[in-house]
Amino acid sequence: MNGTEIHLHARIFRTGTTWYADVDNDLDPQPDNPYWYGLYHSQRTAIEAVCARLAAFNLEQAERLNHQPLIA
């Protein structure tokens, strides 16, 4: 893994009647400090939200890489 790569994973589970979704880093997969999380009423909305967040994070990373100055 080089300095520009980050490996994320998504987790979705149900507690009672609420669905929980989070996105975390493979190097620090602590459930108490995720990059992002949300609570949902259905599994489907939790999955859709996690997919949208991963896509947004991917776009943010691509924009950062495109704006980095070139090192001579």
Side-chain angles (χ1 to χ4, degrees):
M1 178 166 73
N2 67 41
T4 60
E5 291 180 351
I6 186 166
H7 294 267
L8 299 175
H9 69 271
R11 180 173 63 147
I12 298 170
F13 63 91
R14 189 173 76 181
T15 59
T17 60
T18 304
W19 286 88
Y20 174 87
D22 74 11
V23 174
D24 214 343
N25 184 342
D26 277 347
L27 299 176
D28 185 25
Q30 298 299 318
D32 62 335
N33 190 21
Y35 280 119
W36 171 89
Y37 74 94
L39 302 173
Y40 301 91
H41 294 292
S42 73
Q43 182 183 33
R44 181 183 195 112
T45 56
I47 291 169
E48 289 170 351
V50 118
C51 290
R53 185 59 205 135
L54 287 172
F57 185 80
N58 189 38
L59 287 174
E60 291 166 11
Q61 289 298 101
E63 288 176 5
R64 279 190 208 125
L65 290 175
N66 288 336
H67 289 52
Q68 287 181 353
L70 295 176
I71 299 172

